[in-house]
Amino acid sequence: MSLYASRRRTNAIYIGLCYASAFFGLAWLVVILIDLLIQGFGGLSPAIFTQMTPPPGESGGLLNAIVGSLIVTFLGVLIGTPLGMLAGTYMAEYGRHSKLTFIVRFINDILLSAPSIVIGLFVYEALVAQAKHFSGYAGAFALAVIVVPVVVRTTEDMLLLVPNTLREAASALGFPRSLVIGKVAYRAARAGLITGVLLAVARVSGETAPLLFTALNNQFFSTNLNAPMATLPVVIFQFALSPYKEWQQLAWTGALLITFAVLALSIGARALGAQRTDK
Amino acid sequence: MVDVALEDVPSAKAQDKLRVLNWLRLQDKSFHFITMGAALTVLLILGGVIASLVIGSIPALSTFGFAFFTTEKWNPVTEQFGALAPIYGTLVTAAIAMLIAAPIGIGVAIFLTELCPVPLRRPVGIAIELLAGIPSIIYGIWGLFVLAPFLQKYVQPALIDASANIPVLSSLFAGPPYGIGILTAGFILAIMVLPFVASISRDVFETVPAVLKEAAYGCGCTTWEVIHAIVIPYTRVGVIGGVMLGLGRALGETMAVTFVIGNAHRISESLLAPGTTISASIANEFTEAVGDLYTSSLIALGLILFLITFIILAIARYLLMRLERQAGS
């Protein structure tokens, strides 16, 4: 009986620890979101969306940073998505069993988790050092390099979920591969492909490290992609580490904006993905 | 079929089916080549990253030689650079992170697969994954303004007092409680990589055949005994892969660490002292670096970081792939 009691006790202890770790994991999400709301909500005003980032000690907004972030993110996704989708298409359709696919999948998975600051260094060396000035283009390109592995991964996964019988039916009608892919596979996997793009947008919209020495920063409103450009994450980085109260407040508000944008994107992507699997 | 396709080929004459077929054949071939080119571009990106880092770090490595890896000195004024302090900081913060995140992440995964009521599984799983989606700069600003003061006020003084008379611990937790430092950075990293470890462990735990678990329960095993004797041995390789993946993230994480590590190029015995990591050094100093040697030294740091994470991630992927094959066969 004592053996039984000790087994019960061991079980209770370890199960208790599992509950505790689940609580630990979830508590941080709640704590971080609450702190963001407490600190950032106070600074939320129309001025955030209408005024430029101020010099130290003055009040202002984040307009140039928000616009810069939107431009750089949009351009980065615009460059990275087609490339990633085509590569994913090759891996799932043309070269499903080829050696190249195996190697690309392995390398892609590594790029997926590679430190983003290294991507920043790469783009600095490849573009900024050659052009001898920082630019919005370089920032967009750095983000594109981060978008590609995300899109490659989801595209391949989603296309592999498309039943082969659909492809065979289309092939039996005499469709060449390119039309089978374009008219059947892509359409069947559409929701999944959009999910992948949304996840990629969510992933890059908070990226800071690769923008630090590519897009740099800009105190003023600028839509010139060939010049340094302010982006929200870089502005948050600069303002949060400054000693000025106004800047720190703007940093918190910016952080609040980014977090909720990212959370909305990832929840939206998941909802879309769930719809697909329910069907 | 040709008739169907004709709608999309306005230029072709409807009567000329052979021409349409040829055109489709060409289209198919070019699409094949374009997609293959895109796949090769992924390899090219990796090649470009490695090449640019190697070329960029040549000036530093040829000036300092092997001593670059073994000296602690980092002096932009006299242009003396050594990578030891950032390498040390990177490894120690990642180790602290994994010490906390690995057991807790596995605990969360066990909770999600074995203990959690079924209707709650999806929402709790999504909440943990959302934690992974929060950008690292948010962890940074939160760590700097909320976590660091909290640790400085309550946790660190208690640590210092509690370990004052214990030989090894007293030097690990020595000195004034700054709030920011190696320990705080490791703790933030732990919170950041926890969701990665948890979600991958959950995925691999789900590959355990229900029959195995049911058989063990049928023999009278407790829940913990089933986990300990069936689930974990069956998925060991995958769990190690997940932990390594988390480690890869922890090593390369930049913004969260940069905020709370203090950016001091020195190796202190105490975990409470400020330090630096490879990524934090690059993020803090790169735009201000003047002179080729300074820039090149920072790029060399980036090369070291990339090589370390590449090896760790490659091992992680290899382990996870092995589990996939085992599950498939």
Side-chain angles (χ1 to χ4, degrees), chain A residues 247-266:
Chain A
W247 276 18
Q248 291 179 0
Q249 178 59 52
L250 280 175
W252 273 110
T253 309
L256 181 72
L257 291 179
I258 287 195
T259 308
F260 280 90
V262 169
L263 288 184
L265 277 168
S266 14

Side-chain angles (χ1 to χ4, degrees), chain A residues 7 11 35 94 173 178 270, chain B residues 1 28 129 142 220 224-225:
Chain A
R7 282 176 58 206
N11 187 49
D35 280 332
Y94 284 111
L173 289 175
S178 57
R270 255 165 252 279
Chain B
M1 145 66 214
D28 187 43
E129 280 166 24
W142 178 79
W224 170 248
E225 282 161 352

Side-chain angles (χ1 to χ4, degrees), chain B residues 224-291:
Chain B
W224 170 248
E225 282 161 352
V226 172
I227 294 162
H228 177 76
I230 307 292
V231 176
I232 291 182
Y234 189 86
T235 54
R236 189 180 291 128
V237 178
V239 172
I240 295 172
V243 171
M244 300 274 278
L245 208 63
L247 177 62
R249 290 266 175 176
L251 287 167
E253 186 43 57
T254 310
M255 298 321 293
V257 175
T258 308
F259 274 94
V260 295
I261 192 133
N263 203 36
H265 276 274
R266 58 168 182 267
I267 298 174
S268 315
E269 258 183 37
S270 171
L271 294 179
L272 303 182
T276 191
T277 67
I278 293 177
S279 48
S281 301
I282 301 173
N284 263 318
E285 299 172 36
F286 197 79
T287 42
E288 286 148 28
V290 280

Side-chain angles (χ1 to χ4, degrees), chain A residues 7-8 10-12 14-15 17-26 28-33 35-36 39 82-87 89-91 94-95 100 102-104 106-119 121-126 134 144-145 148-149 152-153 170 173-179 181-183 186 202-203 205-209 212-213 216 232-234 236-242 248 251-252 254-256 258-259 262-263 266-267 270-271 274, chain B residues 1-2 4-5 8 21 24-25 27-29 31-46 48-50 52-53 55-57 100 103-108 110-111 115-117 122-124 126-131 133-139 141-142 144-147 187 191 194 219-225 227 245 248-249 251-255 258-259 279-280 282-284 286-287 295 298-299 301-303 305-306 309-310 313-315 317-318 321 324-325:
Chain A
R7 282 176 58 206
R8 288 279 297 266
T10 317
N11 187 49
Y14 281 105
I15 298 303
L17 284 175
C18 289
Y19 275 103
S21 46
F23 175 77
F24 181 87
L26 285 178
W28 293 117
L29 184 67
V30 178
V31 168
I32 290 175
L33 289 183
D35 280 332
L36 266 176
Q39 306 272 2
L83 191 61
M85 278 203 179
L86 288 172
T89 305
Y90 176 81
M91 292 157 72
Y94 284 111
L100 177 64
F102 180 78
I103 298 169
V104 171
F106 195 77
I107 296 298
N108 189 66
D109 279 349
I110 288 175
L111 283 178
L112 202 58
S113 325
S116 55
I117 188 128
V118 171
I119 307 293
L121 283 178
F122 160 56
V123 175
Y124 175 87
E125 280 287 292
F134 299 99
V145 173
V148 169
V152 169
R153 184 64 198 256
L173 289 175
F175 273 51
R177 280 303 270 287
S178 57
L179 282 182
I181 296 166
K183 292 209 174 289
Y186 278 167
R203 169 81 202 274
S205 51
E207 279 291 349
T208 318
L212 281 176
F213 25 84
L216 203 67
L232 209 39
V234 177
I236 294 174
F237 178 54
Q238 187 199 348
F239 281 15
L241 285 173
S242 77
Q248 291 179 0
W252 273 110
L256 181 72
I258 287 195
T259 308
V262 169
L263 288 184
S266 14
I267 292 174
R270 255 165 252 279
Chain B
M1 145 66 214
V2 170
V4 178
D8 289 348
L21 279 177
L24 285 174
R25 206 167 285 140
Q27 189 192 24
D28 187 43
K29 223 169 226 159
F31 193 58
H32 188 160
F33 272 106
I34 292 170
T35 55
M36 196 165 158
L40 287 170
T41 311
V42 174
L43 300 185
L44 214 67
I45 291 176
L46 181 81
V49 171
I50 295 176
S52 67
L53 289 178
I55 294 170
S57 57
I100 302 172
I104 294 182
I106 293 171
V108 172
I110 293 173
F111 172 80
L115 307 172
C116 185
R122 237 181 96 76
V124 175
I126 289 178
I128 298 270
E129 280 166 24
L130 287 182
L131 198 60
I134 294 179
S136 68
I137 187 150
I138 308 299
Y139 286 97
I141 186 172
W142 178 79
L144 179 67
F145 288 115
V146 181
L147 185 67
F187 193 71
I191 300 174
L194 175 69
C219 295
C221 284
T222 60
T223 309
W224 170 248
E225 282 161 352
I227 294 162
L245 208 63
R249 290 266 175 176
L251 287 167
E253 186 43 57
T254 310
M255 298 321 293
T258 308
F259 274 94
S279 48
I282 301 173
N284 263 318
F286 197 79
T287 42
T295 310
L298 287 169
I299 293 177
L301 280 182
L303 179 65
L305 175 66
F306 190 69
T309 48
F310 189 93
L313 292 172
I315 297 173
R317 287 296 171 191
Y318 173 73
M321 225 157 59
E324 252 166 54
R325 256 185 230 156

